[in-house]
């Protein structure tokens, strides 16, 4: 009787509508790698649950205090610093100061570090992984060997680097002033195989002193979730300039997807592009025509992602802010220690982030993806169909049905990947590989915000380039209908927030 009651109740709960809702919720949901989940669980093994919940709550309150302090800072000089940081002699001297990350902002002691590993590290990892995977997609031939992780913390970006480029990493320099964070990061990677050569430093100055001028260059420099903890805009710009000098190819900046985090990314984006364009103009004036082509190839900078152009951000004065979201399945530590506001804690969370990826040099000139392509409307496609193509051989259909019925079927098993088991085989863990790539020309726009599906039309908010050289851009609202363009409509239905869109 009890079994029958449970079965009837399950049929009422698990309806087609609930299954469809669950499928939508899990769309492109990221699962934290088994190796990292095991490392976090092992690191937190000796912590008692009641104390952990209090530590996580205090860390969340500290983040809110920093956020409120940053919002209260005066912004009158921000615009001048970004647009013309060398406007006066006093400001020009500012770039020569010795700035060190960690002297202001949040100080991570053992309690804060433990809470960070339990609650924030999986989410920060997911954002870094999403950004670095986009870098690999836009730069398929890019395989960094020397990497600098500034504000490394407990190693979230390092774990993401290991997943995206597992075979190319040879040397990784970590800059983290908190000794507690350094110890936690070292503890988490214990037992990993094929690790690159890793060196830890507490400041940029310590790195520069120990490596020498010849060893300061890095193929990839990453600064994730660190600039927002430095309230001074001058120090932020100084640090980013120092990181840019340590970059030989690609620089990645990631911040939380809040208005303040997006503003930081926009300011750094504007400053680096302004600075490199200024250098390019000065070099062109000083050198003769023979050397101008060589200078153009080596100097300059352009945005790899998410922006499809290097012009002024069209969202700056629109009242909106550029950010993206990555859904991740919560780990067992997050489900145990994070609190919800009066409702049961969901099995997933959405990590919002803002980012920008720079590459040194000039943006390559590529043909736009839709150049020379003509799309038939739905009516034209229907008119071109031949009657014989619509006929179905009934005997062939029966044979296909019989083959499907005879094929062995696997039992549906519900599995929760966020709980690592001791008997799980690490080698069998499948890593989804992104095989698609998009060139760096100006013909690829970026979908900002989630597309709206209304019947047979899809509404997209797209940031796109308006010039072939990617020097200017715009933010437009597009409506893609099935009747006008079935091919693009099919792609629009499959697209989500943050995807590329062809022009």
């Amino acid at each position: 009787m009890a079994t029958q009651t449970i079965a009837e109740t399950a049929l009422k709960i698990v309806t087609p509508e609930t299954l469809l809702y669950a499928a939508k919720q899990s769309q492109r949901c990221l699962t934290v790698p088994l190796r990292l989940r095991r490392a976090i669980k092992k690191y937190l093994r000796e912590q008692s649950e009641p104390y952990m919940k209090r530590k996580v709550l205090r860390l969340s309150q500290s983040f809110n205090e920093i956020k409120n302090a940053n919002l209260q800072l005066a912004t009158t000089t921000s615009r001048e610093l970004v647009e013309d940081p060398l406007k006066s002699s006093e400001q020009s001297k500012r770039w020569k100061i010795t700035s060190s990350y960690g002297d202001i902002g949040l100080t991570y002691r053992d309690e804060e570090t433990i809470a960070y590993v339990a609650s924030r590290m999986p989410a920060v990892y997911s954002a870094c992984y999403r950004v670095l995977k986009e870098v690999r997609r836009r730069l398929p031939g890019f395989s960094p060997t020397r990497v600098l992780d500034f504000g490394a913390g407990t190693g979230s970006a390092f774990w993401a680097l290991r997943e995206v480029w597992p075979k190319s990493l040879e040397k990784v320099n970590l800059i983290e002033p908190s000794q507690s964070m350094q110890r936690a990061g070292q503890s988490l990677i214990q037992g990993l195989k094929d690790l690159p050569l890793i060196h830890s430093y507490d400041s940029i100055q310590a790195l520069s002193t120990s490596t020498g001028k010849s060893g300061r260059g890095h193929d990839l420099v990453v600064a994730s979730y660190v600039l927002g903890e430095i309230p001074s805009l001058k120090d932020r710009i100084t640090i980013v300039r120092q990181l840019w000098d340590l970059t030989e190819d690609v620089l990645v900046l990631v911040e939380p997807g809040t208005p303040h985090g997006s503003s930081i990314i926009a300011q750094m984006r504007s400053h680096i592009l302004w600075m490199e364009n200024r250098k390019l103009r000065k070099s062109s004036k000083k050198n003769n025509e023979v050397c101008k082509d060589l200078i153009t190839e080596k100097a300059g900078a352009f945005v790899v992602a998410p922006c499809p152009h290097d012009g002024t951000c069209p969202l700056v004065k629109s009242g909106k802010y550029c950010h993206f979201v990555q859904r991740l399945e919560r780990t067992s530590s997050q489900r145990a220690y994070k609190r919800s506001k009066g409702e049961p804690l969901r099995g997933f969370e959405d990590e919002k982030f803002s980012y920008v990826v720079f590459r040194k040099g000039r943006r390559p000139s590529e043909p736009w993806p839709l150049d020379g392509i003509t799309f038939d409307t739905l009516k034209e496609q229907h008119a071109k169909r031949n009657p014989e193509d619509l006929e179905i051989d009934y005997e062939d259909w029966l044979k296909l049905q019989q083959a499907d019925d005879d094929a062995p079927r696997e039992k549906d098993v519900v599995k929760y990947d966020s709980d690592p088991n001791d008997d799980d085989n690490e080698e069998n863990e499948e890593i989804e590989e992104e095989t698609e790539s998009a060139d760096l020309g100006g013909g690829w726009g970026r979908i900002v915000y989630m597309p709206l599906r209304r019947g047979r039309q899809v509404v997209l908010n797209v940031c796109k380039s308006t010039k072939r050289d990617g020097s200017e851009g715009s933010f437009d609202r597009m409506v893609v209908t099935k009747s006008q363009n079935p091919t693009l409509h099919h792609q629009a239905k499959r697209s989500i927030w943050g995807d590329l869109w062809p022009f």
Side-chain angles (χ1 to χ4, degrees), residues 10-149:
L11 289 175
K12 292 179 181 179
I13 297 175
V14 185
T15 62
E17 289 76 13
T18 57
L19 290 174
L20 181 61
Y21 177 76
K24 289 182 178 180
Q25 295 297 316
S26 61
Q27 188 179 25
R28 300 198 191 180
C29 186
L30 178 67
T31 301
V32 178
L34 179 61
R35 290 178 289 269
L36 180 55
R37 282 180 274 138
R38 280 179 171 171
I40 292 175
K41 191 173 183 180
K42 181 179 178 182
Y43 178 78
L44 300 174
R45 187 172 294 168
E46 298 179 358
Q47 305 299 323
S48 63
E49 187 171 328
Y51 289 104
M52 281 299 302
K53 287 185 177 180
R54 269 182 265 171
K55 291 175 184 177
V56 171
L57 181 60
R58 281 199 296 266
L59 180 66
S60 178
Q61 292 172 348
S62 299
F63 282 141
N64 289 331
E65 290 174 3
I66 292 177
K67 178 181 176 182
N68 294 333
N70 287 336
L71 292 176
Q72 294 173 3
L73 291 175
T75 57
T76 53
T77 59
S78 300
R79 191 175 298 104
E80 295 180 4
L81 283 169
V82 173
E83 293 177 353
D84 192 358
L86 306 181
K87 188 174 181 180
S88 64
S89 59
E90 293 181 359
Q91 290 177 347
S92 64
K93 292 179 182 178
R94 179 64 183 175
W95 311 129
K96 299 177 182 178
I97 67 169
T98 302
S99 178
S100 174
Y101 157 66
D103 55 348
I104 47 182
L106 178 62
T107 301
Y108 286 95
R109 295 163 298 186
D110 289 341
E111 288 192 357
E112 288 81 6
T113 300
I114 294 170
Y116 183 90
V117 172
S119 61
R120 287 295 300 152
M121 186 175 179
V124 175
Y125 162 83
S126 68
C128 292
Y129 176 78
R130 171 81 175 270
V131 171
L132 295 177
K133 195 170 74 167
E134 183 66 22
V135 174
R136 186 184 64 182
R137 184 183 184 188
R138 299 306 304 271
L139 304 173
F142 176 66
S143 297
T145 57
R146 291 173 52 85
V147 178
L148 170 62
D149 184 6

Side-chain angles (χ1 to χ4, degrees), residues 307-493:
C307 316
H309 60 88
D310 305 321
T312 303
C313 177
L315 289 177
V316 170
K317 297 181 180 180
S318 66
K320 303 177 182 179
Y321 64 100
C322 181
H323 66 293
F324 304 91
V325 63
Q326 175 60 58
R327 177 159 292 180
L328 71 145
E329 185 180 348
R330 281 194 167 113
T331 62
S332 57
S333 63
Q334 289 177 301
R335 295 200 304 268
Y337 305 131
K338 295 190 78 169
R339 296 184 179 182
S340 59
K341 298 179 181 179
E343 297 180 359
L345 193 66
R346 299 180 300 179
F348 64 89
E349 68 179 63
D350 294 326
E351 178 64 17
K352 295 181 180 180
F353 61 95
S354 298
Y355 76 102
V356 64
V357 180
F358 301 98
R359 191 175 203 183
K360 291 197 171 183
R362 308 297 295 171
R363 181 181 293 274
S365 179
E366 302 283 353
W368 285 28
L370 298 186
D371 283 350
I373 297 178
T374 58
F375 295 98
D376 296 332
T377 63
L378 194 60
K379 293 181 179 179
E380 290 173 342
Q381 287 187 358
H382 285 195
K384 291 179 180 180
R385 292 185 303 177
N386 297 323
E388 55 269 18
D389 295 335
L390 303 178
E391 296 179 1
I392 300 176
D393 192 321
Y394 185 69
E395 293 183 358
D396 293 341
W397 180 79
L398 284 178
K399 291 179 181 178
L400 291 174
Q401 289 292 103
Q402 184 68 28
D404 291 339
D405 294 338
D406 294 340
R409 299 180 180 273
E410 297 180 358
K411 294 182 179 180
D412 295 332
V413 180
V414 178
K415 182 180 179 182
Y416 296 93
D417 291 333
S418 60
D419 296 322
N421 299 320
D422 293 335
D423 57 350
D424 285 341
N425 187 358
E426 185 178 305
E427 301 298 330
N428 293 333
E429 185 178 15
E430 295 181 1
I431 300 176
E432 181 183 357
E433 291 292 335
E434 190 83 28
T435 56
E436 298 179 357
S437 62
D439 59 59
L440 295 173
W444 290 97
R446 181 74 60 180
I447 299 175
V448 185
Y449 312 122
M450 188 60 72
L452 299 177
R453 298 171 179 85
R454 299 173 178 171
R456 295 189 175 183
Q457 67 179 19
V458 182
V459 181
L460 306 175
N461 295 289
V462 181
C463 181
K464 64 178 184 178
S465 176
T466 56
K467 289 190 175 182
R468 292 274 169 170
D469 59 357
S471 59
E472 293 182 9
S474 65
F475 183 73
D476 299 327
R477 191 177 181 88
M478 300 177 54
V479 179
V480 183
T481 61
K482 186 176 181 181
S483 59
Q484 294 179 348
N485 200 320
T487 305
L488 285 183
H489 179 264
H490 177 69
Q491 295 297 328
K493 287 177 62 178

